[in-house]
PDB file of all heavy atoms in Angstrom:
ATOM      1  N   GLU A 142     -12.815 -13.066  25.107  1.00  0.00           N
ATOM      2  CA  GLU A 142     -14.163 -13.051  24.540  1.00  0.00           C
ATOM      3  C   GLU A 142     -15.240 -13.026  25.623  1.00  0.00           C
ATOM      4  O   GLU A 142     -16.294 -12.398  25.441  1.00  0.00           O
ATOM      5  CB  GLU A 142     -14.363 -14.276  23.640  1.00  0.00           C
ATOM      6  CG  GLU A 142     -15.706 -14.274  22.910  1.00  0.00           C
ATOM      7  CD  GLU A 142     -15.846 -15.464  21.973  1.00  0.00           C
ATOM      8  OE1 GLU A 142     -14.945 -16.336  21.954  1.00  0.00           O
ATOM      9  OE2 GLU A 142     -16.872 -15.523  21.254  1.00  0.00           O
ATOM     10  N   GLY A 143     -14.983 -13.656  26.756  1.00  0.00           N
ATOM     11  CA  GLY A 143     -15.981 -13.709  27.808  1.00  0.00           C
ATOM     12  C   GLY A 143     -16.386 -12.336  28.320  1.00  0.00           C
ATOM     13  O   GLY A 143     -17.553 -12.090  28.623  1.00  0.00           O
ATOM     14  N   HIS A 144     -15.421 -11.424  28.401  1.00  0.00           N
ATOM     15  CA  HIS A 144     -15.716 -10.087  28.899  1.00  0.00           C
ATOM     16  C   HIS A 144     -16.085  -9.113  27.782  1.00  0.00           C
ATOM     17  O   HIS A 144     -16.877  -8.189  27.998  1.00  0.00           O
ATOM     18  CB  HIS A 144     -14.511  -9.519  29.656  1.00  0.00           C
ATOM     19  CG  HIS A 144     -14.356 -10.073  31.034  1.00  0.00           C
ATOM     20  ND1 HIS A 144     -13.273 -10.831  31.405  1.00  0.00           N
ATOM     21  CD2 HIS A 144     -15.162  -9.999  32.130  1.00  0.00           C
ATOM     22  CE1 HIS A 144     -13.404 -11.184  32.671  1.00  0.00           C
ATOM     23  NE2 HIS A 144     -14.542 -10.699  33.137  1.00  0.00           N
ATOM     24  N   LEU A 145     -15.521  -9.313  26.599  1.00  0.00           N
ATOM     25  CA  LEU A 145     -15.684  -8.322  25.539  1.00  0.00           C
ATOM     26  C   LEU A 145     -16.702  -8.716  24.479  1.00  0.00           C
ATOM     27  O   LEU A 145     -17.147  -7.856  23.704  1.00  0.00           O
ATOM     28  CB  LEU A 145     -14.325  -8.066  24.863  1.00  0.00           C
ATOM     29  CG  LEU A 145     -13.182  -7.623  25.791  1.00  0.00           C
ATOM     30  CD1 LEU A 145     -11.903  -7.399  24.990  1.00  0.00           C
ATOM     31  CD2 LEU A 145     -13.554  -6.373  26.568  1.00  0.00           C
ATOM     32  N   GLY A 146     -17.044  -9.980  24.402  1.00  0.00           N
ATOM     33  CA  GLY A 146     -17.988 -10.410  23.380  1.00  0.00           C
ATOM     34  C   GLY A 146     -17.337 -10.511  22.009  1.00  0.00           C
ATOM     35  O   GLY A 146     -16.116 -10.579  21.882  1.00  0.00           O
ATOM     36  N   GLY A 147     -18.142 -10.469  20.964  1.00  0.00           N
ATOM     37  CA  GLY A 147     -17.621 -10.668  19.611  1.00  0.00           C
ATOM     38  C   GLY A 147     -17.223  -9.376  18.922  1.00  0.00           C
ATOM     39  O   GLY A 147     -17.589  -9.149  17.760  1.00  0.00           O
ATOM     40  N   VAL A 148     -16.487  -8.516  19.593  1.00  0.00           N
ATOM     41  CA  VAL A 148     -16.077  -7.239  18.999  1.00  0.00           C
ATOM     42  C   VAL A 148     -14.797  -7.416  18.185  1.00  0.00           C
ATOM     43  O   VAL A 148     -14.172  -8.478  18.185  1.00  0.00           O
ATOM     44  CB  VAL A 148     -15.876  -6.156  20.075  1.00  0.00           C
ATOM     45  CG1 VAL A 148     -17.161  -5.962  20.870  1.00  0.00           C
ATOM     46  CG2 VAL A 148     -14.725  -6.515  21.008  1.00  0.00           C
ATOM     47  N   GLU A 149     -14.405  -6.352  17.504  1.00  0.00           N
ATOM     48  CA  GLU A 149     -13.254  -6.415  16.604  1.00  0.00           C
ATOM     49  C   GLU A 149     -12.382  -5.184  16.790  1.00  0.00           C
ATOM     50  O   GLU A 149     -12.881  -4.057  16.833  1.00  0.00           O
ATOM     51  CB  GLU A 149     -13.744  -6.492  15.162  1.00  0.00           C
ATOM     52  CG  GLU A 149     -12.654  -6.701  14.131  1.00  0.00           C
ATOM     53  CD  GLU A 149     -13.225  -6.848  12.731  1.00  0.00           C
ATOM     54  OE1 GLU A 149     -13.629  -5.808  12.153  1.00  0.00           O
ATOM     55  OE2 GLU A 149     -13.293  -7.976  12.226  1.00  0.00           O
ATOM     56  N   LEU A 150     -11.089  -5.411  16.919  1.00  0.00           N
ATOM     57  CA  LEU A 150     -10.113  -4.324  17.045  1.00  0.00           C
ATOM     58  C   LEU A 150      -9.540  -4.008  15.670  1.00  0.00           C
ATOM     59  O   LEU A 150      -9.051  -4.899  14.971  1.00  0.00           O
ATOM     60  CB  LEU A 150      -8.979  -4.744  17.992  1.00  0.00           C
ATOM     61  CG  LEU A 150      -7.741  -3.841  18.053  1.00  0.00           C
ATOM     62  CD1 LEU A 150      -8.094  -2.463  18.610  1.00  0.00           C
ATOM     63  CD2 LEU A 150      -6.649  -4.502  18.894  1.00  0.00           C
ATOM     64  N   VAL A 151      -9.601  -2.739  15.280  1.00  0.00           N
ATOM     65  CA  VAL A 151      -9.037  -2.298  14.008  1.00  0.00           C
ATOM     66  C   VAL A 151      -7.771  -1.496  14.294  1.00  0.00           C
ATOM     67  O   VAL A 151      -7.817  -0.457  14.970  1.00  0.00           O
ATOM     68  CB  VAL A 151     -10.035  -1.437  13.209  1.00  0.00           C
ATOM     69  CG1 VAL A 151      -9.381  -0.928  11.925  1.00  0.00           C
ATOM     70  CG2 VAL A 151     -11.288  -2.237  12.889  1.00  0.00           C
ATOM     71  N   LEU A 152      -6.637  -1.993  13.812  1.00  0.00           N
ATOM     72  CA  LEU A 152      -5.358  -1.306  13.972  1.00  0.00           C
ATOM     73  C   LEU A 152      -4.920  -0.737  12.625  1.00  0.00           C
ATOM     74  O   LEU A 152      -5.032  -1.408  11.591  1.00  0.00           O
ATOM     75  CB  LEU A 152      -4.288  -2.266  14.486  1.00  0.00           C
ATOM     76  CG  LEU A 152      -4.465  -2.827  15.901  1.00  0.00           C
ATOM     77  CD1 LEU A 152      -3.313  -3.762  16.234  1.00  0.00           C
ATOM     78  CD2 LEU A 152      -4.548  -1.707  16.913  1.00  0.00           C
ATOM     79  N   LYS A 153      -4.413   0.492  12.653  1.00  0.00           N
ATOM     80  CA  LYS A 153      -3.939   1.140  11.434  1.00  0.00           C
ATOM     81  C   LYS A 153      -2.551   1.719  11.668  1.00  0.00           C
ATOM     82  O   LYS A 153      -2.224   2.134  12.785  1.00  0.00           O
ATOM     83  CB  LYS A 153      -4.903   2.256  11.012  1.00  0.00           C
ATOM     84  CG  LYS A 153      -6.323   1.767  10.736  1.00  0.00           C
ATOM     85  CD  LYS A 153      -7.246   2.916  10.357  1.00  0.00           C
ATOM     86  CE  LYS A 153      -8.675   2.433  10.160  1.00  0.00           C
ATOM     87  NZ  LYS A 153      -9.590   3.541   9.763  1.00  0.00           N
ATOM     88  N   VAL A 154      -1.766   1.742  10.606  1.00  0.00           N
ATOM     89  CA  VAL A 154      -0.426   2.329  10.661  1.00  0.00           C
ATOM     90  C   VAL A 154      -0.407   3.530   9.728  1.00  0.00           C
ATOM     91  O   VAL A 154      -0.615   3.394   8.517  1.00  0.00           O
ATOM     92  CB  VAL A 154       0.653   1.313  10.242  1.00  0.00           C
ATOM     93  CG1 VAL A 154       2.035   1.956  10.309  1.00  0.00           C
ATOM     94  CG2 VAL A 154       0.598   0.076  11.122  1.00  0.00           C
ATOM     95  N   ALA A 155      -0.184   4.707  10.287  1.00  0.00           N
ATOM     96  CA  ALA A 155      -0.147   5.926   9.486  1.00  0.00           C
ATOM     97  C   ALA A 155       1.130   5.997   8.673  1.00  0.00           C
ATOM     98  O   ALA A 155       2.166   5.446   9.049  1.00  0.00           O
ATOM     99  CB  ALA A 155      -0.256   7.145  10.390  1.00  0.00           C
ATOM    100  N   LYS A 156       1.046   6.681   7.551  1.00  0.00           N
ATOM    101  CA  LYS A 156       2.237   6.831   6.711  1.00  0.00           C
ATOM    102  C   LYS A 156       3.204   7.859   7.271  1.00  0.00           C
ATOM    103  O   LYS A 156       4.395   7.836   6.956  1.00  0.00           O
ATOM    104  CB  LYS A 156       1.823   7.221   5.290  1.00  0.00           C
ATOM    105  CG  LYS A 156       1.155   6.089   4.512  1.00  0.00           C
ATOM    106  CD  LYS A 156       0.952   6.465   3.056  1.00  0.00           C
ATOM    107  CE  LYS A 156       0.388   5.305   2.255  1.00  0.00           C
ATOM    108  NZ  LYS A 156       0.222   5.651   0.820  1.00  0.00           N
ATOM    109  N   ALA A 157       2.689   8.778   8.083  1.00  0.00           N
ATOM    110  CA  ALA A 157       3.520   9.808   8.705  1.00  0.00           C
ATOM    111  C   ALA A 157       3.290   9.790  10.206  1.00  0.00           C
ATOM    112  O   ALA A 157       2.226   9.362  10.664  1.00  0.00           O
ATOM    113  CB  ALA A 157       3.182  11.187   8.135  1.00  0.00           C
ATOM    114  N   PRO A 158       4.263  10.220  11.010  1.00  0.00           N
ATOM    115  CA  PRO A 158       4.062  10.258  12.455  1.00  0.00           C
ATOM    116  C   PRO A 158       2.839  11.110  12.818  1.00  0.00           C
ATOM    117  O   PRO A 158       2.590  12.143  12.200  1.00  0.00           O
ATOM    118  CB  PRO A 158       5.351  10.905  12.980  1.00  0.00           C
ATOM    119  CG  PRO A 158       6.357  10.673  11.910  1.00  0.00           C
ATOM    120  CD  PRO A 158       5.611  10.695  10.624  1.00  0.00           C
ATOM    121  N   LEU A 159       2.119  10.670  13.818  1.00  0.00           N
ATOM    122  CA  LEU A 159       0.888  11.330  14.206  1.00  0.00           C
ATOM    123  C   LEU A 159       1.116  12.301  15.359  1.00  0.00           C
ATOM    124  O   LEU A 159       1.970  12.063  16.222  1.00  0.00           O
ATOM    125  CB  LEU A 159      -0.150  10.288  14.643  1.00  0.00           C
ATOM    126  CG  LEU A 159      -0.536   9.241  13.602  1.00  0.00           C
ATOM    127  CD1 LEU A 159      -1.361   8.139  14.251  1.00  0.00           C
ATOM    128  CD2 LEU A 159      -1.300   9.878  12.464  1.00  0.00           C
ATOM    129  N   GLU A 160       0.330  13.373  15.368  1.00  0.00           N
ATOM    130  CA  GLU A 160       0.318  14.232  16.541  1.00  0.00           C
ATOM    131  C   GLU A 160      -0.214  13.439  17.717  1.00  0.00           C
ATOM    132  O   GLU A 160      -0.963  12.466  17.554  1.00  0.00           O
ATOM    133  CB  GLU A 160      -0.567  15.451  16.294  1.00  0.00           C
ATOM    134  CG  GLU A 160      -0.073  16.368  15.192  1.00  0.00           C
ATOM    135  CD  GLU A 160      -0.997  17.546  14.982  1.00  0.00           C
ATOM    136  OE1 GLU A 160      -1.860  17.789  15.864  1.00  0.00           O
ATOM    137  OE2 GLU A 160      -0.870  18.226  13.960  1.00  0.00           O
ATOM    138  N   GLU A 161       0.134  13.865  18.920  1.00  0.00           N
ATOM    139  CA  GLU A 161      -0.212  13.081  20.102  1.00  0.00           C
ATOM    140  C   GLU A 161      -1.706  12.814  20.202  1.00  0.00           C
ATOM    141  O   GLU A 161      -2.135  11.723  20.568  1.00  0.00           O
ATOM    142  CB  GLU A 161       0.277  13.798  21.364  1.00  0.00           C
ATOM    143  CG  GLU A 161       0.102  12.960  22.616  1.00  0.00           C
ATOM    144  CD  GLU A 161       0.724  13.603  23.835  1.00  0.00           C
ATOM    145  OE1 GLU A 161       1.224  14.731  23.728  1.00  0.00           O
ATOM    146  OE2 GLU A 161       0.697  12.961  24.894  1.00  0.00           O
ATOM    147  N   GLY A 162      -2.535  13.787  19.878  1.00  0.00           N
ATOM    148  CA  GLY A 162      -3.973  13.624  19.997  1.00  0.00           C
ATOM    149  C   GLY A 162      -4.582  12.655  19.012  1.00  0.00           C
ATOM    150  O   GLY A 162      -5.732  12.232  19.181  1.00  0.00           O
ATOM    151  N   LEU A 163      -3.830  12.270  17.965  1.00  0.00           N
ATOM    152  CA  LEU A 163      -4.339  11.354  16.953  1.00  0.00           C
ATOM    153  C   LEU A 163      -3.835   9.932  17.145  1.00  0.00           C
ATOM    154  O   LEU A 163      -4.297   9.012  16.478  1.00  0.00           O
ATOM    155  CB  LEU A 163      -3.952  11.850  15.557  1.00  0.00           C
ATOM    156  CG  LEU A 163      -4.537  13.196  15.130  1.00  0.00           C
ATOM    157  CD1 LEU A 163      -3.986  13.600  13.767  1.00  0.00           C
ATOM    158  CD2 LEU A 163      -6.058  13.134  15.089  1.00  0.00           C
ATOM    159  N   ARG A 164      -2.882   9.744  18.042  1.00  0.00           N
ATOM    160  CA  ARG A 164      -2.328   8.411  18.265  1.00  0.00           C
ATOM    161  C   ARG A 164      -3.251   7.582  19.150  1.00  0.00           C
ATOM    162  O   ARG A 164      -3.986   8.106  19.968  1.00  0.00           O
ATOM    163  CB  ARG A 164      -0.963   8.512  18.956  1.00  0.00           C
ATOM    164  CG  ARG A 164       0.073   9.321  18.220  1.00  0.00           C
ATOM    165  CD  ARG A 164       1.302   9.541  19.096  1.00  0.00           C
ATOM    166  NE  ARG A 164       2.149  10.592  18.558  1.00  0.00           N
ATOM    167  CZ  ARG A 164       3.112  11.192  19.232  1.00  0.00           C
ATOM    168  NH1 ARG A 164       3.370  10.824  20.475  1.00  0.00           N
ATOM    169  NH2 ARG A 164       3.821  12.152  18.672  1.00  0.00           N
ATOM    170  N   GLY A 165      -3.152   6.277  18.986  1.00  0.00           N
ATOM    171  CA  GLY A 165      -3.843   5.387  19.905  1.00  0.00           C
ATOM    172  C   GLY A 165      -5.149   4.831  19.376  1.00  0.00           C
ATOM    173  O   GLY A 165      -5.648   5.214  18.317  1.00  0.00           O
ATOM    174  N   ILE A 166      -5.698   3.912  20.140  1.00  0.00           N
ATOM    175  CA  ILE A 166      -6.922   3.208  19.779  1.00  0.00           C
ATOM    176  C   ILE A 166      -8.107   3.896  20.459  1.00  0.00           C
ATOM    177  O   ILE A 166      -8.149   4.018  21.685  1.00  0.00           O
ATOM    178  CB  ILE A 166      -6.854   1.732  20.230  1.00  0.00           C
ATOM    179  CG1 ILE A 166      -5.517   1.095  19.798  1.00  0.00           C
ATOM    180  CG2 ILE A 166      -8.039   0.966  19.683  1.00  0.00           C
ATOM    181  CD1 ILE A 166      -5.176   1.262  18.335  1.00  0.00           C
ATOM    182  N   ALA A 167      -9.063   4.332  19.651  1.00  0.00           N
ATOM    183  CA  ALA A 167     -10.259   4.989  20.182  1.00  0.00           C
ATOM    184  C   ALA A 167     -11.224   3.926  20.690  1.00  0.00           C
ATOM    185  O   ALA A 167     -11.671   3.072  19.926  1.00  0.00           O
ATOM    186  CB  ALA A 167     -10.912   5.845  19.102  1.00  0.00           C
ATOM    187  N   ILE A 168     -11.537   3.976  21.979  1.00  0.00           N
ATOM    188  CA  ILE A 168     -12.474   3.031  22.590  1.00  0.00           C
ATOM    189  C   ILE A 168     -13.836   3.709  22.691  1.00  0.00           C
ATOM    190  O   ILE A 168     -13.985   4.725  23.375  1.00  0.00           O
ATOM    191  CB  ILE A 168     -12.000   2.599  23.983  1.00  0.00           C
ATOM    192  CG1 ILE A 168     -10.613   1.939  23.900  1.00  0.00           C
ATOM    193  CG2 ILE A 168     -13.003   1.647  24.617  1.00  0.00           C
ATOM    194  CD1 ILE A 168     -10.002   1.636  25.263  1.00  0.00           C
ATOM    195  N   THR A 169     -14.804   3.144  22.002  1.00  0.00           N
ATOM    196  CA  THR A 169     -16.159   3.682  22.053  1.00  0.00           C
ATOM    197  C   THR A 169     -17.121   2.620  22.568  1.00  0.00           C
ATOM    198  O   THR A 169     -16.850   1.416  22.487  1.00  0.00           O
ATOM    199  CB  THR A 169     -16.632   4.160  20.669  1.00  0.00           C
ATOM    200  OG1 THR A 169     -16.593   3.051  19.758  1.00  0.00           O
ATOM    201  CG2 THR A 169     -15.747   5.275  20.133  1.00  0.00           C
ATOM    202  N   SER A 170     -18.238   3.090  23.094  1.00  0.00           N
ATOM    203  CA  SER A 170     -19.309   2.192  23.508  1.00  0.00           C
ATOM    204  C   SER A 170     -20.622   2.840  23.111  1.00  0.00           C
ATOM    205  O   SER A 170     -20.947   3.937  23.565  1.00  0.00           O
ATOM    206  CB  SER A 170     -19.264   1.959  25.023  1.00  0.00           C
ATOM    207  OG  SER A 170     -20.226   0.995  25.396  1.00  0.00           O
ATOM    208  N   LYS A 171     -21.325   2.188  22.197  1.00  0.00           N
ATOM    209  CA  LYS A 171     -22.566   2.711  21.623  1.00  0.00           C
ATOM    210  C   LYS A 171     -22.364   4.112  21.043  1.00  0.00           C
ATOM    211  O   LYS A 171     -23.177   5.008  21.202  1.00  0.00           O
ATOM    212  CB  LYS A 171     -23.673   2.693  22.667  1.00  0.00           C
ATOM    213  CG  LYS A 171     -23.987   1.271  23.138  1.00  0.00           C
ATOM    214  CD  LYS A 171     -25.259   1.167  23.926  1.00  0.00           C
ATOM    215  CE  LYS A 171     -25.583  -0.304  24.238  1.00  0.00           C
ATOM    216  NZ  LYS A 171     -26.820  -0.480  25.002  1.00  0.00           N
ATOM    217  N   GLY A 172     -21.202   4.246  20.374  1.00  0.00           N
ATOM    218  CA  GLY A 172     -20.922   5.475  19.648  1.00  0.00           C
ATOM    219  C   GLY A 172     -20.294   6.583  20.448  1.00  0.00           C
ATOM    220  O   GLY A 172     -19.915   7.616  19.893  1.00  0.00           O
ATOM    221  N   VAL A 173     -20.119   6.421  21.760  1.00  0.00           N
ATOM    222  CA  VAL A 173     -19.546   7.461  22.605  1.00  0.00           C
ATOM    223  C   VAL A 173     -18.078   7.142  22.882  1.00  0.00           C
ATOM    224  O   VAL A 173     -17.742   6.043  23.325  1.00  0.00           O
ATOM    225  CB  VAL A 173     -20.319   7.589  23.937  1.00  0.00           C
ATOM    226  CG1 VAL A 173     -19.678   8.654  24.831  1.00  0.00           C
ATOM    227  CG2 VAL A 173     -21.775   7.923  23.662  1.00  0.00           C
ATOM    228  N   LEU A 174     -17.198   8.114  22.625  1.00  0.00           N
ATOM    229  CA  LEU A 174     -15.766   7.928  22.860  1.00  0.00           C
ATOM    230  C   LEU A 174     -15.470   8.050  24.350  1.00  0.00           C
ATOM    231  O   LEU A 174     -15.857   9.032  24.997  1.00  0.00           O
ATOM    232  CB  LEU A 174     -14.981   8.992  22.087  1.00  0.00           C
ATOM    233  CG  LEU A 174     -13.463   8.995  22.284  1.00  0.00           C
ATOM    234  CD1 LEU A 174     -12.845   7.711  21.735  1.00  0.00           C
ATOM    235  CD2 LEU A 174     -12.838  10.220  21.626  1.00  0.00           C
ATOM    236  N   HIS A 175     -14.750   7.057  24.901  1.00  0.00           N
ATOM    237  CA  HIS A 175     -14.434   7.063  26.325  1.00  0.00           C
ATOM    238  C   HIS A 175     -12.933   7.138  26.605  1.00  0.00           C
ATOM    239  O   HIS A 175     -12.538   7.591  27.683  1.00  0.00           O
ATOM    240  CB  HIS A 175     -15.007   5.820  27.007  1.00  0.00           C
ATOM    241  CG  HIS A 175     -16.498   5.805  27.043  1.00  0.00           C
ATOM    242  ND1 HIS A 175     -17.235   6.639  27.851  1.00  0.00           N
ATOM    243  CD2 HIS A 175     -17.405   5.062  26.338  1.00  0.00           C
ATOM    244  CE1 HIS A 175     -18.526   6.413  27.671  1.00  0.00           C
ATOM    245  NE2 HIS A 175     -18.666   5.467  26.762  1.00  0.00           N
ATOM    246  N   GLU A 176     -12.118   6.702  25.677  1.00  0.00           N
ATOM    247  CA  GLU A 176     -10.663   6.766  25.888  1.00  0.00           C
ATOM    248  C   GLU A 176      -9.961   6.520  24.568  1.00  0.00           C
ATOM    249  O   GLU A 176     -10.470   5.820  23.690  1.00  0.00           O
ATOM    250  CB  GLU A 176     -10.208   5.722  26.926  1.00  0.00           C
ATOM    251  CG  GLU A 176      -8.716   5.758  27.204  1.00  0.00           C
ATOM    252  CD  GLU A 176      -8.276   4.829  28.332  1.00  0.00           C
ATOM    253  OE1 GLU A 176      -9.146   4.299  29.060  1.00  0.00           O
ATOM    254  OE2 GLU A 176      -7.058   4.613  28.484  1.00  0.00           O
ATOM    255  N   THR A 177      -8.780   7.104  24.438  1.00  0.00           N
ATOM    256  CA  THR A 177      -7.879   6.768  23.341  1.00  0.00           C
ATOM    257  C   THR A 177      -6.569   6.337  23.971  1.00  0.00           C
ATOM    258  O   THR A 177      -5.983   7.089  24.758  1.00  0.00           O
ATOM    259  CB  THR A 177      -7.657   7.975  22.414  1.00  0.00           C
ATOM    260  OG1 THR A 177      -8.919   8.412  21.904  1.00  0.00           O
ATOM    261  CG2 THR A 177      -6.761   7.593  21.254  1.00  0.00           C
ATOM    262  N   THR A 178      -6.111   5.131  23.674  1.00  0.00           N
ATOM    263  CA  THR A 178      -4.974   4.580  24.396  1.00  0.00           C
ATOM    264  C   THR A 178      -4.062   3.753  23.502  1.00  0.00           C
ATOM    265  O   THR A 178      -4.508   3.189  22.494  1.00  0.00           O
ATOM    266  CB  THR A 178      -5.468   3.700  25.565  1.00  0.00           C
ATOM    267  OG1 THR A 178      -4.345   3.206  26.302  1.00  0.00           O
ATOM    268  CG2 THR A 178      -6.288   2.513  25.057  1.00  0.00           C
ATOM    269  N   LEU A 179      -2.812   3.663  23.904  1.00  0.00           N
ATOM    270  CA  LEU A 179      -1.863   2.732  23.301  1.00  0.00           C
ATOM    271  C   LEU A 179      -1.566   1.583  24.261  1.00  0.00           C
ATOM    272  O   LEU A 179      -0.700   0.761  24.004  1.00  0.00           O
ATOM    273  CB  LEU A 179      -0.572   3.462  22.915  1.00  0.00           C
ATOM    274  CG  LEU A 179      -0.696   4.339  21.663  1.00  0.00           C
ATOM    275  CD1 LEU A 179       0.445   5.346  21.588  1.00  0.00           C
ATOM    276  CD2 LEU A 179      -0.734   3.484  20.403  1.00  0.00           C
ATOM    277  N   ALA A 180      -2.282   1.564  25.370  1.00  0.00           N
ATOM    278  CA  ALA A 180      -2.292   0.425  26.307  1.00  0.00           C
ATOM    279  C   ALA A 180      -0.902  -0.006  26.754  1.00  0.00           C
ATOM    280  O   ALA A 180      -0.551  -1.182  26.686  1.00  0.00           O
ATOM    281  CB  ALA A 180      -3.041  -0.755  25.686  1.00  0.00           C
ATOM    282  N   GLY A 181      -0.104   0.954  27.187  1.00  0.00           N
ATOM    283  CA  GLY A 181       1.218   0.644  27.708  1.00  0.00           C
ATOM    284  C   GLY A 181       2.341   0.718  26.708  1.00  0.00           C
ATOM    285  O   GLY A 181       3.508   0.544  27.074  1.00  0.00           O
ATOM    286  N   CYS A 182       2.030   0.980  25.448  1.00  0.00           N
ATOM    287  CA  CYS A 182       3.071   1.043  24.409  1.00  0.00           C
ATOM    288  C   CYS A 182       3.448   2.483  24.062  1.00  0.00           C
ATOM    289  O   CYS A 182       4.103   2.724  23.046  1.00  0.00           O
ATOM    290  CB  CYS A 182       2.597   0.321  23.152  1.00  0.00           C
ATOM    291  SG  CYS A 182       2.272  -1.436  23.407  1.00  0.00           S
ATOM    292  N   GLU A 183       3.026   3.445  24.891  1.00  0.00           N
ATOM    293  CA  GLU A 183       3.235   4.860  24.570  1.00  0.00           C
ATOM    294  C   GLU A 183       4.703   5.228  24.404  1.00  0.00           C
ATOM    295  O   GLU A 183       5.033   6.126  23.630  1.00  0.00           O
ATOM    296  CB  GLU A 183       2.612   5.737  25.670  1.00  0.00           C
ATOM    297  CG  GLU A 183       1.102   5.711  25.718  1.00  0.00           C
ATOM    298  CD  GLU A 183       0.547   4.533  26.506  1.00  0.00           C
ATOM    299  OE1 GLU A 183       1.343   3.677  26.957  1.00  0.00           O
ATOM    300  OE2 GLU A 183      -0.682   4.470  26.660  1.00  0.00           O
ATOM    301  N   SER A 184       5.583   4.557  25.144  1.00  0.00           N
ATOM    302  CA  SER A 184       6.999   4.932  25.099  1.00  0.00           C
ATOM    303  C   SER A 184       7.734   4.360  23.889  1.00  0.00           C
ATOM    304  O   SER A 184       8.874   4.734  23.628  1.00  0.00           O
ATOM    305  CB  SER A 184       7.700   4.469  26.382  1.00  0.00           C
ATOM    306  OG  SER A 184       7.627   3.050  26.506  1.00  0.00           O
ATOM    307  N   LYS A 185       7.101   3.486  23.140  1.00  0.00           N
ATOM    308  CA  LYS A 185       7.728   2.912  21.952  1.00  0.00           C
ATOM    309  C   LYS A 185       7.790   3.970  20.848  1.00  0.00           C
ATOM    310  O   LYS A 185       6.758   4.557  20.506  1.00  0.00           O
ATOM    311  CB  LYS A 185       6.935   1.701  21.451  1.00  0.00           C
ATOM    312  CG  LYS A 185       6.751   0.600  22.476  1.00  0.00           C
ATOM    313  CD  LYS A 185       8.018  -0.210  22.641  1.00  0.00           C
ATOM    314  CE  LYS A 185       7.785  -1.401  23.569  1.00  0.00           C
ATOM    315  NZ  LYS A 185       8.995  -2.225  23.733  1.00  0.00           N
ATOM    316  N   PRO A 186       8.961   4.238  20.282  1.00  0.00           N
ATOM    317  CA  PRO A 186       9.063   5.293  19.267  1.00  0.00           C
ATOM    318  C   PRO A 186       8.092   5.125  18.104  1.00  0.00           C
ATOM    319  O   PRO A 186       7.496   6.099  17.642  1.00  0.00           O
ATOM    320  CB  PRO A 186      10.518   5.181  18.796  1.00  0.00           C
ATOM    321  CG  PRO A 186      11.241   4.606  19.968  1.00  0.00           C
ATOM    322  CD  PRO A 186      10.278   3.658  20.604  1.00  0.00           C
ATOM    323  N   LEU A 187       7.892   3.912  17.644  1.00  0.00           N
ATOM    324  CA  LEU A 187       7.032   3.704  16.481  1.00  0.00           C
ATOM    325  C   LEU A 187       5.546   3.689  16.829  1.00  0.00           C
ATOM    326  O   LEU A 187       4.702   3.563  15.941  1.00  0.00           O
ATOM    327  CB  LEU A 187       7.424   2.410  15.764  1.00  0.00           C
ATOM    328  CG  LEU A 187       8.810   2.451  15.090  1.00  0.00           C
ATOM    329  CD1 LEU A 187       9.127   1.133  14.419  1.00  0.00           C
ATOM    330  CD2 LEU A 187       8.886   3.587  14.088  1.00  0.00           C
ATOM    331  N   SER A 188       5.214   3.857  18.111  1.00  0.00           N
ATOM    332  CA  SER A 188       3.808   4.006  18.477  1.00  0.00           C
ATOM    333  C   SER A 188       3.236   5.300  17.923  1.00  0.00           C
ATOM    334  O   SER A 188       2.014   5.458  17.841  1.00  0.00           O
ATOM    335  CB  SER A 188       3.649   3.968  20.003  1.00  0.00           C
ATOM    336  OG  SER A 188       4.214   5.130  20.596  1.00  0.00           O
TER     337      SER A 188
END
């Protein structure tokens, strides 16, 4: 919380496997997309 403040992470599970470009958590700051990441979990099949 000290570095990130009172933000909220929204995680979703798709019903079907996602194309690579749709996987991961979209990180935005003031509405601008800066990265989409699985934060080290990319090799997990169910990611």
Side-chain angles (χ1 to χ4, degrees):
E142 185 177 5
H144 283 116
L145 304 180
V148 302
E149 186 177 76
L150 169 65
V151 177
L152 294 180
K153 300 178 183 181
V154 180
K156 289 188 176 182
L159 301 169
E160 296 179 14
E161 187 174 4
L163 297 176
R164 302 171 195 165
I166 312 308
I168 301 173
T169 59
S170 185
K171 298 193 174 180
V173 178
L174 177 65
H175 293 288
E176 181 174 349
T177 302
T178 182
L179 285 162
C182 298
E183 291 84 356
S184 61
K185 303 283 186 179
L187 292 179
S188 69

